[in-house]
Amino acid sequence: MAKPHFGQNELKYVTECILTEWISSAGQYVNTFEEQFSQYCDTKYGISTSSGTTALHLALLAANIGPGDEVIVPSLTFIATANAVTYTGATPIFVDSDPEIWTIDPNKIEEVITENTKAIIPVHLYGHPADMDLILKIAHKYGLVVIEDAAEAHGAEYKGKKVGGIGDIGIFSFYGNKIITTGEGGMVVTNNPLYEEKIRILRDHGMSKEKRYWHTVLGYNYRMTNIQAAIGVAQLEKIDEIINKKRDIAHNYNELLGDVEGIIICPEEKDWAKNVYWLYTVLLENNNAKIDRDLLMYNLSKQNIETRPVFPPIHTQPIYSKNQMLPVCESVSCRGFSLPSHPELKYDDIETIIQTLRQEIN
Ligand SMILES: *Cc1c(COP(=O)(O)O)cnc(C)c1O
C-alpha cells in the first residue's frame, strides 16, 4: 500500500543527531524543518508537533475552541479530524461529501451552522484539495475560523496555492504512510503571529516565555524531536520527486483502468486543483452486484495485493454514532478502496495489479 521513500540523507542527518547528542526536542533540525516546511507551504510560521492529531488539537485550542462550541467537519475523513474537536470539549458536526471529489460539500455547510458554530475543518481527502473559495466565503459570512486538515495533502494546490496556507491555520501529518514522513510527527502552519505564539506555548507545557517552569495556561507536551525533524529535512529535499512519482502512478492507473468494467476510476483532478494522490482510490460501480467490495479486497490480498477500504464515515462510528444520513459519503465509503501507490511502485507492478483486479472482478 504504502512505504517511505528514503535516501542517504535520512540516515546521515539522524546519525548526526546521535553523534552530537541532540536527540530531544531542542536542536537545529527542528528549527530548520519548521522554517523549510513553512516556506514550502508559503506560510510565515511552521510549528512542528508530535503528530497530525496533536497539530489539530493545538490549532483548535489556538482558535479558542472549547466546550459549547460546534466545529463543522466532513464525515468522510480519518477519525482524528473529529477526535481533536472532541478533545477540546467542542462538538464535531458532520457534513456530507461532494460526489465528485469526496471532500466536504460546501453546499451543505450553511444548513448546519448555528450560533455555536466556531470553525470549519475542510480535509483535503486523499490528496485532492477541498473547494476552498466556497468554504472561505461561508466562513467569512459567519465569522468562522478555517482550519485545513492537510494531513494527506502535502504539496497539493488549490488554484495554484499550496494547501495548508489558504485558511487561517493548516495542519499536516508525517506518519509513516503520508506523502513525507518523520515516523510520527506533525506540523501546524499559519500566517497569524498570535496563533503561532499560542501554539508554541501550548505545545511546551504552557510554559511562560519569560519565566522558566512558570505556567499560566494548561499546556501539553506535543513537541517533535530533533531526530524526527532530521528525517523530515531529508524528506523535504525529495518531496517534489515523491509527488511527481505519485502523480505518474495515478496517471498510469487511470490509463490502464480505463477499460476495466465495474470500476470507477479515481476522481479526476478539478481544473483548479493539483492532486497529490496520497492513496489512489477507486469505486466499485453502484450497480455492481457481481462482487462485494470487502470480498474483492480479501481476494486481492490473497494474491499479495494490499488494499485499504475508504474510511467508514465518522457519523456511523460507534463513538460518534448519530441518527444521521449522509448518502454520498456512505456510498463512497462502502464502494471505495485504495490501491497500492507508494513512490517505488513500477509500471509493471501496476500492470500486474490491474490484471489481477480484472480477473477478480470477472
Ligand atoms: C493521518 C491523518 C491525521 C492524523 O495524523 P497522525 O499523524 O496520524 O496523528 C489527521 N487527519 C487526517 C485526514 C489524516 O489522514
Side-chain angles (χ1 to χ4, degrees), residues 74 95-99 102-110 135 328:
V95 168
D96 208 354
S97 295
D98 176 287
W102 312 339
T103 52
I104 193 166
D105 186 342
N107 299 314
K108 297 192 180 135
I109 292 177
E110 261 186 296
I135 294 163
V328 176

Side-chain angles (χ1 to χ4, degrees), residues 51-54 56 77-78 80-81 123 125 149 151-152 171 173-175 178 184-185 278 311:
S51 72
T53 307
T54 56
L56 266 172
T77 176
F78 181 59
T81 315
V123 179
L125 197 73
D149 182 339
E152 306 176 355
I171 75 93
S173 164
F174 304 114
Y175 180 66
K178 298 290 161 82
E184 295 275 359
W278 171 56
F311 306 114

Side-chain angles (χ1 to χ4, degrees), residues 4 19 60 72 96 132 186 192 201 215 289 293 335:
L19 293 176
L60 287 157
I72 295 171
D96 208 354
M132 291 304 293
N192 184 328
I201 291 170
H215 306 270
R293 192 268 318 259
R335 294 188 290 133

